[in-house]
Amino acid sequence: MSIKKLQTGITAFDHISAGGLPYGRTTLISGSSGCGKTLFSAQFLAMGIQLFDQAGVFVTFEEQVEDIRINLRTLNWDIDTWEKEGKWVFVDASQKDDDSLTVGDYDLSGFQVRLERAITKCNAKRVVLDSIGSVFTQFQEMNSIRHELFKVTLALGRLDTTSIITTERTEEYGKVSRLGVEEFLTDNVIILRNVLSEEKRRRTIEILKFRGSMHEKGENLFTIHPEQAIVIIPLSAMDLKYRSSSVRVTSGVAKLDEMCGGGFYRDSIILVSGSIGAGKTLLVANFINGIQKKERCLLLAFEESREQLFRNATGWGQDFAKLEEDGQLKVVCIYPEVSSLEDHLLNIQAIVKEFKPDRIAIDSLSALSRTSTDKAFREFIIALTSFLKHQEITGMFTVTTTLLSGGTSDTEGNISPLTDTIILLRYVEMSGDMQRSLSVLKMRGSKHDSSIRGFTIDDKGINIGEPFIGVSGILTGIPLRS
Amino acid sequence: MSKLALHLYINGKSHISVEAIDNLNTICQEKVPGEYELEVIDIQLDPDRAEEAGILAIPTLIRTWPLPVTRMIGALTVKSRVMAGLGLSNL
């Protein structure tokens, strides 16, 4: 039996938290400076208003109200109207310029009265206190302030609100908070991180605990999107429950279809591995050309420009310009370095949702992997493949190997378990002649031709020939005639 | 407008509120009898005033005249400090 949750409306958060924030309770959000605590909290209120028509109270102990308004407007949240309609109420508890002298005992009942009044006035369902650390800098008596804040959280529960309290921490991996507030806010804790890892920033969200309730464990990547604010990429919550299609689609090369036992599965991911010039882009071109009438293909090029791609395709007898004119092809060329992988992922998802392709080709993944750490790249691939499979899109990704013949790439080692089909393109040196070879290394859920075949490229494209017979050691790069 | 103008924010009959009123009246009657105006604001009865003034701690004493405006929090238990805070030390 899980406790009742309040759906937040924040993308994917409700998914990783198995339904949202614990209803009628206070959740502590802890993180270092700049981790997105205030944004997450503000988004919690904004989504409440936009999606569920629930009013919210935002208590600021630190930032000035006008600064917060300015920040909210940049996300296209209509704070002015919300305030006018009484859906969003600020309680300004920020420190004012005038110094105040402390003489004798005091409590924070002034704050409590104002907070309760704000909540009842707008019938708030959601409350944010940002950030509690500043209360301790405004008032010195740690113990009594802690006690006062505890009373505040009791009041929040009594008023039937679901609330967030934010707090700072000094290290990304250490004590939950530097203030000891977890003593009374111990039931529900979320940690936001902004870690520098190999020169790249990695933002993650972790639900440390939700007492008495299910949630995903571990860190989930998120990114701050200029329009959607915080977008979580729920890795741990991804399931492998997508349907598995038995429908076959053509690779665009009849002989290759034959080698794969009748073509690729429609919702499969195909990895094409080969060195520079081994014919990867050619296979991609055929894959694109394999689309049927009324089907669409999206090509994401991270290495070559449009002009180069179109010219090469023409060289193989294919007319990309015509396909694009007919709306069957969309070519998007992006420099991998322009954004982080999380942002690339969101961008790709947005393009896919808009264009609704049946196929997607990425040339090449290796270019993308250069911009990130191994871990982040792996997470990117998991998220991307899962997304594509849910949409039943056939995907072809290329990776570049460093050696001309033989060898594997780092990228490949990282992602091959996540793909359904692997095609190896390798050079073979035979009697002083560089020959090209193609083999289907893996074909999940189907029989396939296990031979290594030679192939040639001419102005009509690819011609797959006969298996190399009587030669061994091709994949090691040192072929021997036996 | 030469009178000392004071606003004291209190919370009902809580003991620190009562204490603060007593302490403040004692000091003022001793030091500036008839020369001060004290307004006591109960935030339970008048929460809007608390909102306007941005009150967090109770009791809060605000000296609105003479300028500059100064604030003091607490039950005003230490006479010499309250006097210093109100600018009455050298009277």
Side-chain angles (χ1 to χ4, degrees):
Chain A
M1 195 34 207
S2 203
I3 59 161
K4 195 176 163 192
K5 297 275 181 66
L6 178 87
Q7 221 181 319
T8 61
I10 297 172
T11 313
F13 179 78
D14 295 330
H15 189 44
I16 62 167
S17 59
L21 292 177
Y23 184 91
R25 298 184 183 213
T26 303
T27 301
L28 183 71
I29 296 192
S30 183
S32 58
S33 150
C35 71
K37 300 185 294 289
T38 305
L39 181 59
F40 186 94
S41 314
Q43 198 173 353
F44 169 64
L45 294 195
M47 292 302 115
I49 297 169
Q50 279 189 335
L51 305 176
F52 308 104
D53 197 31
Q54 294 169 343
V57 171
F58 193 104
V59 181
T60 173
F61 289 109
E62 194 171 351
E63 263 188 281
Q64 298 300 314
V65 169
E66 194 46 43
D67 293 340
I68 299 174
R69 286 198 190 106
I70 291 168
N71 293 342
L72 295 175
R73 285 186 203 118
T74 63
L75 286 154
N76 289 327
W77 289 335
D78 193 1
I79 182 66
D80 303 281
T81 309
W82 294 345
E83 278 195 88
K84 217 175 289 161
E85 292 172 352
K87 294 203 167 118
W88 180 303
V89 177
F90 277 111
V91 173
D92 186 359
S94 60
Q95 191 159 19
K96 298 292 173 248
D97 293 338
D98 46 355
D99 288 332
S100 61
L101 190 67
T102 307
V103 188
D105 294 341
Y106 57 87
D107 58 33
L108 293 186
S109 55
F111 169 66
Q112 192 162 340
V113 166
R114 287 171 62 198
L115 177 60
E116 289 186 25
R117 184 172 162 73
I119 292 170
T120 44
K121 209 163 75 181
C122 69
N123 191 24
K125 288 279 154 228
R126 303 177 178 215
V127 177
V128 168
L129 276 68
D130 178 61
S131 90
I132 216 164
S134 309
V135 184
F136 291 92
T137 49
Q138 282 190 50
F139 302 100
Q140 312 300 325
E141 323 270 327
M142 286 288 271
N143 287 325
S144 67
I145 294 301
R146 234 177 256 161
H147 180 67
E148 291 297 314
L149 289 173
F150 176 61
K151 288 200 296 196
V152 168
T153 60
L154 288 182
L156 289 172
R158 179 161 44 77
L159 292 166
D160 199 32
T161 61
T162 303
S163 39
I164 288 177
I165 293 184
T166 68
T167 183
E168 289 86 18
R169 61 205 301 244
T170 44
E171 306 155 53
E172 294 295 357
Y173 295 92
K175 273 178 67 180
V176 168
S177 157
R178 66 188 161 94
L179 299 158
V181 282
E182 57 278 34
E183 282 169 24
F184 62 90
L185 283 170
T186 189
D187 282 353
N188 313 303
V189 180
I190 293 173
I191 292 180
L192 299 183
R193 292 192 178 89
N194 181 14
V195 186
L196 191 61
S197 145
E198 294 181 29
E199 300 175 11
K200 298 281 173 194
R201 283 276 165 201
R202 237 174 88 84
R203 291 180 183 276
T204 62
I205 179 167
E206 178 187 9
I207 300 172
L208 195 66
K209 53 179 154 177
F210 271 3
R211 186 152 293 172
S213 153
M214 293 271 300
H215 61 84
E216 294 299 328
K217 313 277 189 297
E219 294 178 66
N220 282 283
L221 280 176
F222 75 86
T223 183
I224 294 177
H225 190 274
E227 279 158 30
Q228 301 163 36
I230 287 178
V231 181
I232 298 166
I233 296 155
L235 281 175
S236 56
M238 284 198 180
D239 45 32
L240 286 164
K241 262 191 268 164
Y242 27 75
R243 280 166 293 165
S244 220
S245 172
S246 56
V247 178
R248 302 265 191 166
V249 297
T250 176
S251 65
V253 183
K255 190 76 185 170
L256 183 58
D257 289 349
E258 208 178 287
M259 289 175 75
C260 294
F264 303 138
Y265 286 118
R266 192 173 66 196
D267 57 358
S268 66
I269 303 292
I270 301 111
L271 188 69
V272 177
S273 152
S275 64
I276 306 275
K280 297 187 301 295
T281 309
L282 173 62
L283 273 194
V284 167
N286 277 297
F287 177 70
I288 293 168
N289 224 27
I291 48 173
Q292 309 300 309
K293 284 206 180 346
K294 289 188 183 166
E295 282 188 343
R296 279 184 296 273
C297 183
L298 174 66
L299 170 60
L300 298 169
F302 292 102
E303 271 177 355
E304 289 174 294
S305 70
R306 282 177 80 80
E307 288 69 26
Q308 272 176 307
L309 281 165
F310 281 44
R311 190 196 57 207
N312 294 347
T314 312
W316 302 316
Q318 292 167 3
D319 192 352
F320 278 9
K322 172 87 170 57
L323 278 175
E324 209 169 32
E325 218 169 85
D326 295 345
Q328 288 197 282
L329 174 67
K330 187 183 178 80
V331 179
V332 180
C333 298
I334 315 165
Y335 271 113
E337 282 79 9
V338 294
S339 55
S340 72
L341 277 180
E342 295 91 90
D343 293 331
H344 274 305
L345 178 66
L346 291 181
N347 186 23
I348 294 171
Q349 288 181 343
I351 298 172
V352 166
K353 277 180 187 152
E354 201 202 321
F355 185 61
K356 299 188 177 61
D358 303 278
R359 298 179 172 207
I360 183 169
I362 298 182
D363 188 32
S364 74
L365 277 186
S366 308
L368 266 184
S369 72
R370 282 199 298 270
T371 69
S372 77
T373 62
D374 278 359
K375 183 167 192 258
F377 184 66
R378 204 181 143 76
E379 286 166 351
F380 165 78
I381 294 296
I382 293 173
L384 179 64
T385 51
S386 163
F387 170 74
L388 294 178
K389 279 174 182 276
H390 274 287
Q391 316 274 324
E392 294 203 17
I393 295 172
T394 322
M396 179 179 273
F397 306 160
T398 67
V399 294
T400 309
T401 53
T402 43
L403 296 171
L404 274 185
S405 55
T408 54
S409 66
D410 294 343
T411 324
E412 198 180 317
N414 246 331
I415 62 176
S416 50
L418 302 166
T419 58
D420 303 289
T421 302
I422 300 177
I423 297 171
L424 295 182
L425 301 177
R426 294 286 183 267
Y427 280 110
V428 189
E429 189 202 329
M430 297 276 282
S431 328
D433 190 23
M434 275 302 229
Q435 297 190 16
R436 295 166 192 273
S437 79
L438 179 151
S439 57
V440 178
L441 187 66
K442 162 177 160 188
M443 178 79 199
R444 191 171 278 164
S446 166
K447 279 189 185 157
H448 65 90
D449 181 352
S450 59
S451 59
I452 301 171
R453 289 172 183 266
F455 73 93
T456 55
I457 300 173
D458 60 22
D459 57 3
K460 295 213 173 49
I462 185 168
N463 302 302
I464 299 175
E466 292 305 309
F468 288 95
I469 290 170
V471 183
S472 61
I474 289 173
L475 295 183
T476 64
I478 314 162
L480 292 170
R481 281 196 188 279
S482 48
Chain B
M1 263 302 272
S2 59
K3 276 188 179 178
L4 184 64
L6 303 171
H7 292 168
L8 181 64
Y9 291 82
I10 56 147
N11 178 17
K13 295 266 180 282
S14 75
H15 76 270
I16 46 174
S17 298
V18 174
E19 207 181 332
I21 298 173
D22 285 353
N23 286 334
L24 186 60
N25 274 321
T26 309
I27 294 166
C28 287
Q29 273 161 18
E30 186 189 321
K31 290 288 165 185
V32 281
E35 293 291 306
Y36 72 98
E37 268 174 26
L38 170 63
E39 187 187 359
V40 176
I41 300 134
D42 185 344
I43 57 163
Q44 295 288 350
L45 304 174
D46 214 346
D48 284 337
R49 292 284 299 274
E51 185 63 46
E52 278 163 38
I55 302 298
L56 299 177
I58 290 295
T60 295
L61 173 63
I62 301 180
R63 185 190 73 179
T64 55
W65 187 265
L67 294 174
V69 174
T70 58
R71 283 184 184 228
M72 224 181 286
I73 61 171
L76 311 175
T77 41
V78 185
K79 187 174 162 189
S80 58
R81 295 192 68 185
V82 177
M83 281 162 56
L86 292 178
L88 303 177
S89 294
N90 39 16
L91 287 176

